[in-house]
Structures are given as structure tokens and as C-alpha cells.
Amino acid sequence: MQKRVTFSNRWLPYLLVAPQIAITLVFFIWPAYRALEQSFFLEDAFGFSRHWVWFENYAALFRDQGYLRSFWTTLLFGLGVTALSMSLALVFAVAANRLIHTVVPYRTLLVWPYAVAPALAGVVWYFLMNPSLGIVAYWLKGAGIEWNHYVNGDQALALVIVAAAWKQISYNFLFFLAGLQSIPKSLIEAAAIDRAGPVRRFWTITFPLLSPTTFFLLVVNLVYAFFDTFSLIHATTEGGPADATSILVFRVYNTGFIGQDYGSSAAQSVILMVLVIAMTAIQFRYVERKVTY
């Protein structure tokens, strides 16, 4: 029987949750409402006049071939960042878990990249992959690969995917390592006694028991790729070449702050918000069914 918590003052629970409610209202609900409202208006760059245009901003977006291509670019970018960062983090977590008592420096070094700001991470990879002086570009040239992301859109997209994944690996690593440490050793030992090899033990015991952690990181990484990578792309490729790395969140900035078309920028932010909410809902509706708690 669970003990029920009671408060002597009826207003105390409301007082305790008030700061979080205030933060949600100020930094999420109010900006979302303002973006939704502004998406129905056409206004000048200085905000002196505005005209109600109903859904014209949305209709113009879906007539824009460049904006429609950004959906495909964003999908490739989001899936690439999520798959690369989660798979590498899982490999590193499994390696660290095998030597958990002697690998503190290893874990510390892996965590460091998460403390790097996204813009700085973009600058680091900008110099590493620079076709003129970048060491990684030099290695690729030695392997017979001509690297120049200034003119090659596919290479530019690969660059921002690698940079964004590198930034996120540490975060995923911490959760995967915690999940691995929570798995009872007796299950692994019992499987080993039954002559199950390391690979079979991982796929039949370890990975299914990591499904809650994997599902959580899947949601977090997709949201990260869709929303939190603007500064990285801005510092690395600025959406180029020829909009090859112009994902939806970058196009919102480019339309609003560079093009000063605030109505269209607000409409794009609303579409992006609805897209991410729908994507998260689909994951909870269908992907979570495969999670073993």
C-alpha cells in the first residue's frame, strides 16, 4: 500500500509548480502563440503595418520548391545524425562497460565533447574538413577522395551530419552506459553458461533490456537534429552550397532575419513545430510498442 502525500497548506502544491508553469508559459506557450498569430499576417520589415492574409503564407511555402527540398534535407540530416550518434555511442558504452573499473579517464574524454557549444563544434569540424588546410580533408585526399564541401552538396551534408553526431555522442554514451550497468549480471552469466556467444548475448539479452533507453534517446536525438543544430550549420556551411544543408530550422532563420519576411518565417516555424510533435507522437504510438520495460 502506497503512502499518500498530503500538504497542510492547500496552496503549497500550486506554489511549488508555479515556477515551472511560468517558464513553460513564457518560453513555450507565448512564443508558440505569437508565431501562430504572425503566420496569418503579411507585415513590412519594420513592423509598422501588417495585413491579414489567412493561409497565403502557408500556400506560398508549399509552392516553393526550395522549401519542399528542405523537408527531404531535414529528414536525411535527422536520420543520419540520430543513427550515427546512437550507434557509435552504443559501441563506446559497451566497450566502457567491459572495463568499467579501470576506464574513468576513457569515460571522461568521451563526455567532454558534450560541453562544447554547437557553434564551436561546427567551427572545429569546419577547420578539420577544410579542403585547403584541414587534416581530415588531407587524409581523405591521400585515400583518393577529393573533398571540397564548398561546391559539393552531398559532402557538405555529410560534414554537418558528422559534426552534429560528434556533438551528441557523449550525451547518448552516458545514458547507454547507465543502462548497461543496470542490467543484472546474472542474466549475462546464465546465457554464457548456456553457451551463447558475445554477439548473441548482446542481441537477445542486452539490447532488448536497453530498449527503454534506446527509445528515449531516439526521441531526444531527433528533436536535437530538428531544432538544436542551427548554430552548427550556420558556423559550418551557412546552408550551402546551393541550399544543400538548409534544413527547416535554418530556413526559418534565413527567411525571417535575412529575408525579413516575418510572416513566412512564422509559418515555417509553425510547420516545423507541428512536424516534430507529429513525429514524436508517432514514435510513442508505434515504436514504444516494441519497448520492454
mmCIF file of all heavy atoms in Angstrom, residues 243-291:
data_model
loop_
_atom_site.group_PDB
_atom_site.id
_atom_site.type_symbol
_atom_site.label_atom_id
_atom_site.label_comp_id
_atom_site.label_asym_id
_atom_site.label_seq_id
_atom_site.Cartn_x
_atom_site.Cartn_y
_atom_site.Cartn_z
ATOM 1 N N ASP A 243 21.844 25.602 -51.020
ATOM 2 C CA ASP A 243 20.824 25.123 -50.078
ATOM 3 C C ASP A 243 20.912 23.633 -49.785
ATOM 4 O O ASP A 243 19.943 23.026 -49.332
ATOM 5 C CB ASP A 243 19.407 25.441 -50.581
ATOM 6 C CG ASP A 243 19.043 26.899 -50.364
ATOM 7 O OD1 ASP A 243 19.751 27.579 -49.592
ATOM 8 O OD2 ASP A 243 18.058 27.362 -50.947
ATOM 9 N N ALA A 244 22.084 23.022 -50.009
ATOM 10 C CA ALA A 244 22.228 21.582 -49.786
ATOM 11 C C ALA A 244 22.140 21.212 -48.318
ATOM 12 O O ALA A 244 21.798 20.081 -47.976
ATOM 13 C CB ALA A 244 23.559 21.091 -50.362
ATOM 14 N N THR A 245 22.450 22.145 -47.418
ATOM 15 C CA THR A 245 22.372 21.881 -45.977
ATOM 16 C C THR A 245 21.382 22.815 -45.284
ATOM 17 O O THR A 245 21.454 23.007 -44.081
ATOM 18 C CB THR A 245 23.760 22.037 -45.331
ATOM 19 O OG1 THR A 245 24.255 23.369 -45.582
ATOM 20 C CG2 THR A 245 24.739 21.030 -45.886
ATOM 21 N N SER A 246 20.470 23.363 -46.050
ATOM 22 C CA SER A 246 19.472 24.280 -45.486
ATOM 23 C C SER A 246 18.305 23.465 -44.934
ATOM 24 O O SER A 246 17.311 23.226 -45.619
ATOM 25 C CB SER A 246 18.985 25.272 -46.555
ATOM 26 O OG SER A 246 18.066 26.194 -46.011
ATOM 27 N N ILE A 247 18.421 23.038 -43.680
ATOM 28 C CA ILE A 247 17.337 22.289 -43.052
ATOM 29 C C ILE A 247 16.250 23.276 -42.616
ATOM 30 O O ILE A 247 16.421 24.498 -42.683
ATOM 31 C CB ILE A 247 17.838 21.458 -41.866
ATOM 32 C CG1 ILE A 247 18.400 22.360 -40.763
ATOM 33 C CG2 ILE A 247 18.883 20.451 -42.323
ATOM 34 C CD1 ILE A 247 18.787 21.600 -39.502
ATOM 35 N N LEU A 248 15.133 22.772 -42.148
ATOM 36 C CA LEU A 248 13.970 23.614 -41.886
ATOM 37 C C LEU A 248 14.255 24.694 -40.854
ATOM 38 O O LEU A 248 13.841 25.844 -41.013
ATOM 39 C CB LEU A 248 12.796 22.736 -41.429
ATOM 40 C CG LEU A 248 12.219 21.803 -42.487
ATOM 41 C CD1 LEU A 248 11.148 20.904 -41.882
ATOM 42 C CD2 LEU A 248 11.643 22.598 -43.657
ATOM 43 N N VAL A 249 14.941 24.348 -39.761
ATOM 44 C CA VAL A 249 15.180 25.336 -38.724
ATOM 45 C C VAL A 249 16.110 26.436 -39.231
ATOM 46 O O VAL A 249 15.974 27.600 -38.840
ATOM 47 C CB VAL A 249 15.748 24.658 -37.452
ATOM 48 C CG1 VAL A 249 17.154 24.122 -37.671
ATOM 49 C CG2 VAL A 249 15.714 25.618 -36.270
ATOM 50 N N PHE A 250 17.053 26.112 -40.103
ATOM 51 C CA PHE A 250 17.920 27.136 -40.666
ATOM 52 C C PHE A 250 17.158 28.030 -41.635
ATOM 53 O O PHE A 250 17.387 29.230 -41.700
ATOM 54 C CB PHE A 250 19.111 26.487 -41.377
ATOM 55 C CG PHE A 250 20.113 27.478 -41.890
ATOM 56 C CD1 PHE A 250 21.091 27.978 -41.050
ATOM 57 C CD2 PHE A 250 20.072 27.920 -43.205
ATOM 58 C CE1 PHE A 250 22.012 28.912 -41.510
ATOM 59 C CE2 PHE A 250 20.983 28.840 -43.677
ATOM 60 C CZ PHE A 250 21.960 29.335 -42.820
ATOM 61 N N ARG A 251 16.219 27.447 -42.363
ATOM 62 C CA ARG A 251 15.427 28.243 -43.308
ATOM 63 C C ARG A 251 14.507 29.224 -42.570
ATOM 64 O O ARG A 251 14.228 30.313 -43.074
ATOM 65 C CB ARG A 251 14.619 27.312 -44.224
ATOM 66 C CG ARG A 251 13.934 28.005 -45.374
ATOM 67 C CD ARG A 251 13.332 26.995 -46.316
ATOM 68 N NE ARG A 251 14.335 26.378 -47.158
ATOM 69 C CZ ARG A 251 14.742 26.901 -48.319
ATOM 70 N NH1 ARG A 251 14.236 28.047 -48.764
ATOM 71 N NH2 ARG A 251 15.635 26.274 -49.049
ATOM 72 N N VAL A 252 14.038 28.830 -41.381
ATOM 73 C CA VAL A 252 13.243 29.762 -40.569
ATOM 74 C C VAL A 252 14.050 31.016 -40.270
ATOM 75 O O VAL A 252 13.574 32.150 -40.428
ATOM 76 C CB VAL A 252 12.789 29.084 -39.262
ATOM 77 C CG1 VAL A 252 12.180 30.111 -38.299
ATOM 78 C CG2 VAL A 252 11.774 27.990 -39.545
ATOM 79 N N TYR A 253 15.291 30.833 -39.836
ATOM 80 C CA TYR A 253 16.173 31.976 -39.552
ATOM 81 C C TYR A 253 16.464 32.766 -40.817
ATOM 82 O O TYR A 253 16.413 33.998 -40.822
ATOM 83 C CB TYR A 253 17.476 31.468 -38.932
ATOM 84 C CG TYR A 253 18.611 32.442 -39.006
ATOM 85 C CD1 TYR A 253 18.731 33.471 -38.065
ATOM 86 C CD2 TYR A 253 19.569 32.355 -40.026
ATOM 87 C CE1 TYR A 253 19.778 34.381 -38.142
ATOM 88 C CE2 TYR A 253 20.616 33.261 -40.102
ATOM 89 C CZ TYR A 253 20.718 34.268 -39.164
ATOM 90 O OH TYR A 253 21.748 35.172 -39.237
ATOM 91 N N ASN A 254 16.785 32.069 -41.900
ATOM 92 C CA ASN A 254 17.184 32.742 -43.128
ATOM 93 C C ASN A 254 16.044 33.584 -43.701
ATOM 94 O O ASN A 254 16.263 34.693 -44.197
ATOM 95 C CB ASN A 254 17.623 31.692 -44.151
ATOM 96 C CG ASN A 254 18.647 32.230 -45.121
ATOM 97 O OD1 ASN A 254 19.518 32.995 -44.747
ATOM 98 N ND2 ASN A 254 18.541 31.828 -46.375
ATOM 99 N N THR A 255 14.831 33.065 -43.614
ATOM 100 C CA THR A 255 13.678 33.804 -44.134
ATOM 101 C C THR A 255 13.331 34.991 -43.255
ATOM 102 O O THR A 255 13.016 36.075 -43.752
ATOM 103 C CB THR A 255 12.461 32.866 -44.254
ATOM 104 O OG1 THR A 255 12.799 31.760 -45.085
ATOM 105 C CG2 THR A 255 11.264 33.605 -44.838
ATOM 106 N N GLY A 256 13.389 34.812 -41.934
ATOM 107 C CA GLY A 256 12.978 35.867 -41.017
ATOM 108 C C GLY A 256 14.018 36.937 -40.798
ATOM 109 O O GLY A 256 13.724 38.135 -40.904
ATOM 110 N N PHE A 257 15.264 36.533 -40.491
ATOM 111 C CA PHE A 257 16.282 37.512 -40.112
ATOM 112 C C PHE A 257 17.076 38.030 -41.298
ATOM 113 O O PHE A 257 17.569 39.154 -41.255
ATOM 114 C CB PHE A 257 17.240 36.895 -39.085
ATOM 115 C CG PHE A 257 16.622 36.705 -37.733
ATOM 116 C CD1 PHE A 257 15.947 35.548 -37.417
ATOM 117 C CD2 PHE A 257 16.692 37.710 -36.777
ATOM 118 C CE1 PHE A 257 15.365 35.364 -36.180
ATOM 119 C CE2 PHE A 257 16.118 37.546 -35.534
ATOM 120 C CZ PHE A 257 15.454 36.379 -35.230
ATOM 121 N N ILE A 258 17.248 37.231 -42.328
ATOM 122 C CA ILE A 258 17.972 37.674 -43.518
ATOM 123 C C ILE A 258 17.001 38.244 -44.548
ATOM 124 O O ILE A 258 17.171 39.356 -45.029
ATOM 125 C CB ILE A 258 18.796 36.527 -44.128
ATOM 126 C CG1 ILE A 258 19.738 35.929 -43.076
ATOM 127 C CG2 ILE A 258 19.587 37.026 -45.327
ATOM 128 C CD1 ILE A 258 20.713 36.902 -42.478
ATOM 129 N N GLY A 259 15.970 37.480 -44.883
ATOM 130 C CA GLY A 259 14.988 37.951 -45.856
ATOM 131 C C GLY A 259 13.955 38.895 -45.285
ATOM 132 O O GLY A 259 13.255 39.567 -46.036
ATOM 133 N N GLN A 260 13.832 38.969 -43.952
ATOM 134 C CA GLN A 260 12.895 39.841 -43.243
ATOM 135 C C GLN A 260 11.445 39.631 -43.677
ATOM 136 O O GLN A 260 10.649 40.566 -43.691
ATOM 137 C CB GLN A 260 13.295 41.310 -43.418
ATOM 138 C CG GLN A 260 14.647 41.631 -42.782
ATOM 139 C CD GLN A 260 14.990 43.096 -42.841
ATOM 140 O OE1 GLN A 260 14.463 43.840 -43.673
ATOM 141 N NE2 GLN A 260 15.879 43.522 -41.951
ATOM 142 N N ASP A 261 11.127 38.394 -44.016
ATOM 143 C CA ASP A 261 9.742 38.014 -44.308
ATOM 144 C C ASP A 261 9.205 37.288 -43.070
ATOM 145 O O ASP A 261 9.257 36.071 -42.967
ATOM 146 C CB ASP A 261 9.698 37.099 -45.532
ATOM 147 C CG ASP A 261 8.277 36.816 -45.996
ATOM 148 O OD1 ASP A 261 7.323 37.176 -45.266
ATOM 149 O OD2 ASP A 261 8.120 36.226 -47.084
ATOM 150 N N TYR A 262 8.683 38.079 -42.126
ATOM 151 C CA TYR A 262 8.348 37.527 -40.817
ATOM 152 C C TYR A 262 7.120 36.626 -40.860
ATOM 153 O O TYR A 262 7.031 35.670 -40.102
ATOM 154 C CB TYR A 262 8.136 38.664 -39.821
ATOM 155 C CG TYR A 262 9.355 39.532 -39.659
ATOM 156 C CD1 TYR A 262 9.311 40.902 -39.934
ATOM 157 C CD2 TYR A 262 10.562 38.976 -39.257
ATOM 158 C CE1 TYR A 262 10.434 41.690 -39.800
ATOM 159 C CE2 TYR A 262 11.695 39.771 -39.128
ATOM 160 C CZ TYR A 262 11.628 41.125 -39.392
ATOM 161 O OH TYR A 262 12.745 41.898 -39.272
ATOM 162 N N GLY A 263 6.194 36.916 -41.739
ATOM 163 C CA GLY A 263 5.019 36.068 -41.847
ATOM 164 C C GLY A 263 5.373 34.676 -42.339
ATOM 165 O O GLY A 263 4.927 33.667 -41.786
ATOM 166 N N SER A 264 6.195 34.605 -43.384
ATOM 167 C CA SER A 264 6.619 33.315 -43.910
ATOM 168 C C SER A 264 7.487 32.576 -42.900
ATOM 169 O O SER A 264 7.373 31.353 -42.742
ATOM 170 C CB SER A 264 7.394 33.511 -45.215
ATOM 171 O OG SER A 264 7.835 32.277 -45.726
ATOM 172 N N SER A 265 8.367 33.293 -42.207
ATOM 173 C CA SER A 265 9.215 32.664 -41.197
ATOM 174 C C SER A 265 8.374 32.080 -40.064
ATOM 175 O O SER A 265 8.644 30.962 -39.591
ATOM 176 C CB SER A 265 10.208 33.689 -40.639
ATOM 177 O OG SER A 265 11.011 33.126 -39.633
ATOM 178 N N ALA A 266 7.338 32.811 -39.638
ATOM 179 C CA ALA A 266 6.454 32.304 -38.586
ATOM 180 C C ALA A 266 5.696 31.075 -39.060
ATOM 181 O O ALA A 266 5.529 30.106 -38.317
ATOM 182 C CB ALA A 266 5.477 33.395 -38.155
ATOM 183 N N ALA A 267 5.246 31.084 -40.310
ATOM 184 C CA ALA A 267 4.544 29.919 -40.850
ATOM 185 C C ALA A 267 5.468 28.702 -40.896
ATOM 186 O O ALA A 267 5.053 27.580 -40.585
ATOM 187 C CB ALA A 267 4.017 30.233 -42.251
ATOM 188 N N GLN A 268 6.730 28.918 -41.264
ATOM 189 C CA GLN A 268 7.684 27.811 -41.282
ATOM 190 C C GLN A 268 7.922 27.264 -39.885
ATOM 191 O O GLN A 268 8.038 26.042 -39.702
ATOM 192 C CB GLN A 268 9.006 28.284 -41.881
ATOM 193 C CG GLN A 268 8.945 28.598 -43.363
ATOM 194 C CD GLN A 268 10.274 29.088 -43.893
ATOM 195 O OE1 GLN A 268 11.327 28.535 -43.574
ATOM 196 N NE2 GLN A 268 10.245 30.132 -44.704
ATOM 197 N N SER A 269 8.005 28.133 -38.874
ATOM 198 C CA SER A 269 8.216 27.658 -37.507
ATOM 199 C C SER A 269 7.015 26.862 -37.008
ATOM 200 O O SER A 269 7.178 25.872 -36.285
ATOM 201 C CB SER A 269 8.498 28.847 -36.577
ATOM 202 O OG SER A 269 7.367 29.693 -36.479
ATOM 203 N N VAL A 270 5.809 27.261 -37.403
ATOM 204 C CA VAL A 270 4.608 26.515 -37.019
ATOM 205 C C VAL A 270 4.614 25.136 -37.674
ATOM 206 O O VAL A 270 4.317 24.117 -37.029
ATOM 207 C CB VAL A 270 3.340 27.304 -37.402
ATOM 208 C CG1 VAL A 270 2.089 26.444 -37.207
ATOM 209 C CG2 VAL A 270 3.231 28.567 -36.563
ATOM 210 N N ILE A 271 4.956 25.074 -38.955
ATOM 211 C CA ILE A 271 5.016 23.784 -39.660
ATOM 212 C C ILE A 271 6.059 22.880 -39.018
ATOM 213 O O ILE A 271 5.828 21.681 -38.813
ATOM 214 C CB ILE A 271 5.323 24.012 -41.144
ATOM 215 C CG1 ILE A 271 4.156 24.715 -41.837
ATOM 216 C CG2 ILE A 271 5.641 22.688 -41.844
ATOM 217 C CD1 ILE A 271 4.432 25.124 -43.270
ATOM 218 N N LEU A 272 7.217 23.449 -38.670
ATOM 219 C CA LEU A 272 8.267 22.657 -38.033
ATOM 220 C C LEU A 272 7.806 22.132 -36.679
ATOM 221 O O LEU A 272 8.056 20.959 -36.337
ATOM 222 C CB LEU A 272 9.527 23.511 -37.875
ATOM 223 C CG LEU A 272 10.723 22.849 -37.180
ATOM 224 C CD1 LEU A 272 11.160 21.600 -37.949
ATOM 225 C CD2 LEU A 272 11.877 23.828 -37.054
ATOM 226 N N MET A 273 7.126 22.975 -35.914
ATOM 227 C CA MET A 273 6.637 22.549 -34.605
ATOM 228 C C MET A 273 5.619 21.423 -34.752
ATOM 229 O O MET A 273 5.677 20.423 -34.027
ATOM 230 C CB MET A 273 6.015 23.735 -33.870
ATOM 231 C CG MET A 273 5.464 23.405 -32.489
ATOM 232 S SD MET A 273 4.853 24.873 -31.622
ATOM 233 C CE MET A 273 3.512 25.378 -32.719
ATOM 234 N N VAL A 274 4.693 21.562 -35.681
ATOM 235 C CA VAL A 274 3.682 20.515 -35.908
ATOM 236 C C VAL A 274 4.347 19.226 -36.385
ATOM 237 O O VAL A 274 3.971 18.121 -35.964
ATOM 238 C CB VAL A 274 2.639 21.009 -36.931
ATOM 239 C CG1 VAL A 274 1.718 19.872 -37.345
ATOM 240 C CG2 VAL A 274 1.832 22.153 -36.347
ATOM 241 N N LEU A 275 5.355 19.358 -37.244
ATOM 242 C CA LEU A 275 6.058 18.184 -37.767
ATOM 243 C C LEU A 275 6.745 17.404 -36.649
ATOM 244 O O LEU A 275 6.643 16.175 -36.574
ATOM 245 C CB LEU A 275 7.085 18.630 -38.809
ATOM 246 C CG LEU A 275 7.936 17.529 -39.450
ATOM 247 C CD1 LEU A 275 7.064 16.576 -40.253
ATOM 248 C CD2 LEU A 275 9.008 18.145 -40.346
ATOM 249 N N VAL A 276 7.432 18.111 -35.751
ATOM 250 C CA VAL A 276 8.141 17.446 -34.663
ATOM 251 C C VAL A 276 7.156 16.834 -33.669
ATOM 252 O O VAL A 276 7.368 15.716 -33.176
ATOM 253 C CB VAL A 276 9.092 18.434 -33.958
ATOM 254 C CG1 VAL A 276 9.699 17.802 -32.709
ATOM 255 C CG2 VAL A 276 10.190 18.874 -34.912
ATOM 256 N N ILE A 277 6.062 17.535 -33.371
ATOM 257 C CA ILE A 277 5.042 16.982 -32.473
ATOM 258 C C ILE A 277 4.442 15.710 -33.068
ATOM 259 O O ILE A 277 4.265 14.696 -32.378
ATOM 260 C CB ILE A 277 3.951 18.026 -32.190
ATOM 261 C CG1 ILE A 277 4.517 19.166 -31.330
ATOM 262 C CG2 ILE A 277 2.764 17.393 -31.472
ATOM 263 C CD1 ILE A 277 3.548 20.316 -31.123
ATOM 264 N N ALA A 278 4.122 15.747 -34.370
ATOM 265 C CA ALA A 278 3.555 14.566 -35.029
ATOM 266 C C ALA A 278 4.551 13.409 -35.053
ATOM 267 O O ALA A 278 4.192 12.258 -34.801
ATOM 268 C CB ALA A 278 3.131 14.922 -36.452
ATOM 269 N N MET A 279 5.808 13.721 -35.326
ATOM 270 C CA MET A 279 6.842 12.688 -35.361
ATOM 271 C C MET A 279 7.009 12.041 -33.989
ATOM 272 O O MET A 279 7.111 10.811 -33.868
ATOM 273 C CB MET A 279 8.164 13.305 -35.803
ATOM 274 C CG MET A 279 9.327 12.353 -35.874
ATOM 275 S SD MET A 279 10.834 13.236 -36.313
ATOM 276 C CE MET A 279 11.005 14.320 -34.882
ATOM 277 N N THR A 280 6.999 12.855 -32.929
ATOM 278 C CA THR A 280 7.128 12.322 -31.570
ATOM 279 C C THR A 280 5.911 11.483 -31.197
ATOM 280 O O THR A 280 6.039 10.418 -30.573
ATOM 281 C CB THR A 280 7.303 13.476 -30.569
ATOM 282 O OG1 THR A 280 8.415 14.288 -30.967
ATOM 283 C CG2 THR A 280 7.549 12.947 -29.176
ATOM 284 N N ALA A 281 4.722 11.948 -31.584
ATOM 285 C CA ALA A 281 3.503 11.189 -31.289
ATOM 286 C C ALA A 281 3.514 9.835 -31.989
ATOM 287 O O ALA A 281 3.105 8.817 -31.406
ATOM 288 C CB ALA A 281 2.279 11.997 -31.715
ATOM 289 N N ILE A 282 3.994 9.798 -33.237
ATOM 290 C CA ILE A 282 4.076 8.529 -33.969
ATOM 291 C C ILE A 282 5.040 7.575 -33.280
ATOM 292 O O ILE A 282 4.783 6.369 -33.167
ATOM 293 C CB ILE A 282 4.502 8.794 -35.425
ATOM 294 C CG1 ILE A 282 3.365 9.494 -36.179
ATOM 295 C CG2 ILE A 282 4.876 7.492 -36.130
ATOM 296 C CD1 ILE A 282 3.752 9.956 -37.562
ATOM 297 N N GLN A 283 6.157 8.111 -32.802
ATOM 298 C CA GLN A 283 7.116 7.263 -32.093
ATOM 299 C C GLN A 283 6.500 6.668 -30.835
ATOM 300 O O GLN A 283 6.675 5.475 -30.552
ATOM 301 C CB GLN A 283 8.359 8.074 -31.728
ATOM 302 C CG GLN A 283 9.196 8.470 -32.923
ATOM 303 C CD GLN A 283 10.394 9.287 -32.520
ATOM 304 O OE1 GLN A 283 11.405 8.764 -32.086
ATOM 305 N NE2 GLN A 283 10.283 10.601 -32.635
ATOM 306 N N PHE A 284 5.772 7.475 -30.075
ATOM 307 C CA PHE A 284 5.144 6.963 -28.858
ATOM 308 C C PHE A 284 4.003 6.006 -29.185
ATOM 309 O O PHE A 284 3.705 5.108 -28.400
ATOM 310 C CB PHE A 284 4.626 8.128 -28.006
ATOM 311 C CG PHE A 284 5.662 8.718 -27.098
ATOM 312 C CD1 PHE A 284 6.433 9.792 -27.508
ATOM 313 C CD2 PHE A 284 5.870 8.194 -25.841
ATOM 314 C CE1 PHE A 284 7.391 10.338 -26.674
ATOM 315 C CE2 PHE A 284 6.831 8.731 -24.993
ATOM 316 C CZ PHE A 284 7.591 9.807 -25.411
ATOM 317 N N ARG A 285 3.372 6.199 -30.324
ATOM 318 C CA ARG A 285 2.234 5.350 -30.681
ATOM 319 C C ARG A 285 2.674 3.999 -31.209
ATOM 320 O O ARG A 285 2.055 2.971 -30.905
ATOM 321 C CB ARG A 285 1.379 6.073 -31.736
ATOM 322 C CG ARG A 285 0.162 5.282 -32.199
ATOM 323 C CD ARG A 285 -0.871 5.132 -31.080
ATOM 324 N NE ARG A 285 -2.071 4.463 -31.549
ATOM 325 C CZ ARG A 285 -2.219 3.148 -31.628
ATOM 326 N NH1 ARG A 285 -1.199 2.367 -31.270
ATOM 327 N NH2 ARG A 285 -3.347 2.628 -32.048
ATOM 328 N N TYR A 286 3.745 3.960 -32.015
ATOM 329 C CA TYR A 286 4.121 2.723 -32.690
ATOM 330 C C TYR A 286 5.460 2.151 -32.209
ATOM 331 O O TYR A 286 5.564 0.944 -31.996
ATOM 332 C CB TYR A 286 4.168 2.953 -34.204
ATOM 333 C CG TYR A 286 2.830 3.318 -34.781
ATOM 334 C CD1 TYR A 286 2.528 4.639 -35.122
ATOM 335 C CD2 TYR A 286 1.849 2.349 -34.973
ATOM 336 C CE1 TYR A 286 1.283 4.980 -35.640
ATOM 337 C CE2 TYR A 286 0.607 2.679 -35.499
ATOM 338 C CZ TYR A 286 0.335 3.996 -35.822
ATOM 339 O OH TYR A 286 -0.899 4.330 -36.324
ATOM 340 N N VAL A 287 6.477 2.999 -32.072
ATOM 341 C CA VAL A 287 7.792 2.493 -31.694
ATOM 342 C C VAL A 287 7.799 2.011 -30.253
ATOM 343 O O VAL A 287 8.433 1.006 -29.924
ATOM 344 C CB VAL A 287 8.871 3.578 -31.913
ATOM 345 C CG1 VAL A 287 10.248 3.059 -31.519
ATOM 346 C CG2 VAL A 287 8.871 4.028 -33.364
ATOM 347 N N GLU A 288 7.068 2.698 -29.381
ATOM 348 C CA GLU A 288 7.093 2.332 -27.968
ATOM 349 C C GLU A 288 6.515 0.937 -27.711
ATOM 350 O O GLU A 288 6.779 0.314 -26.682
ATOM 351 C CB GLU A 288 6.331 3.374 -27.134
ATOM 352 C CG GLU A 288 6.599 3.254 -25.634
ATOM 353 C CD GLU A 288 5.795 4.237 -24.826
ATOM 354 O OE1 GLU A 288 4.770 4.750 -25.329
ATOM 355 O OE2 GLU A 288 6.163 4.488 -23.661
ATOM 356 N N ARG A 289 5.722 0.428 -28.651
ATOM 357 C CA ARG A 289 5.165 -0.920 -28.502
ATOM 358 C C ARG A 289 6.258 -1.982 -28.406
ATOM 359 O O ARG A 289 6.063 -3.033 -27.798
ATOM 360 C CB ARG A 289 4.255 -1.248 -29.687
ATOM 361 C CG ARG A 289 2.962 -0.453 -29.740
ATOM 362 C CD ARG A 289 2.165 -0.855 -30.955
ATOM 363 N NE ARG A 289 0.879 -0.188 -31.004
ATOM 364 C CZ ARG A 289 -0.018 -0.382 -31.970
ATOM 365 N NH1 ARG A 289 0.259 -1.199 -32.972
ATOM 366 N NH2 ARG A 289 -1.180 0.261 -31.948
ATOM 367 N N LYS A 290 7.397 -1.695 -29.012
ATOM 368 C CA LYS A 290 8.495 -2.661 -29.021
ATOM 369 C C LYS A 290 9.416 -2.505 -27.812
ATOM 370 O O LYS A 290 10.426 -3.225 -27.709
ATOM 371 C CB LYS A 290 9.305 -2.527 -30.315
ATOM 372 C CG LYS A 290 8.453 -2.747 -31.571
ATOM 373 C CD LYS A 290 9.294 -2.661 -32.817
ATOM 374 C CE LYS A 290 8.448 -2.842 -34.063
ATOM 375 N NZ LYS A 290 7.802 -4.163 -34.126
ATOM 376 N N VAL A 291 9.110 -1.553 -26.928
ATOM 377 C CA VAL A 291 9.957 -1.309 -25.766
ATOM 378 C C VAL A 291 9.589 -2.276 -24.658
ATOM 379 O O VAL A 291 8.416 -2.482 -24.348
ATOM 380 C CB VAL A 291 9.801 0.140 -25.278
ATOM 381 C CG1 VAL A 291 10.593 0.363 -23.992
ATOM 382 C CG2 VAL A 291 10.253 1.112 -26.370
#
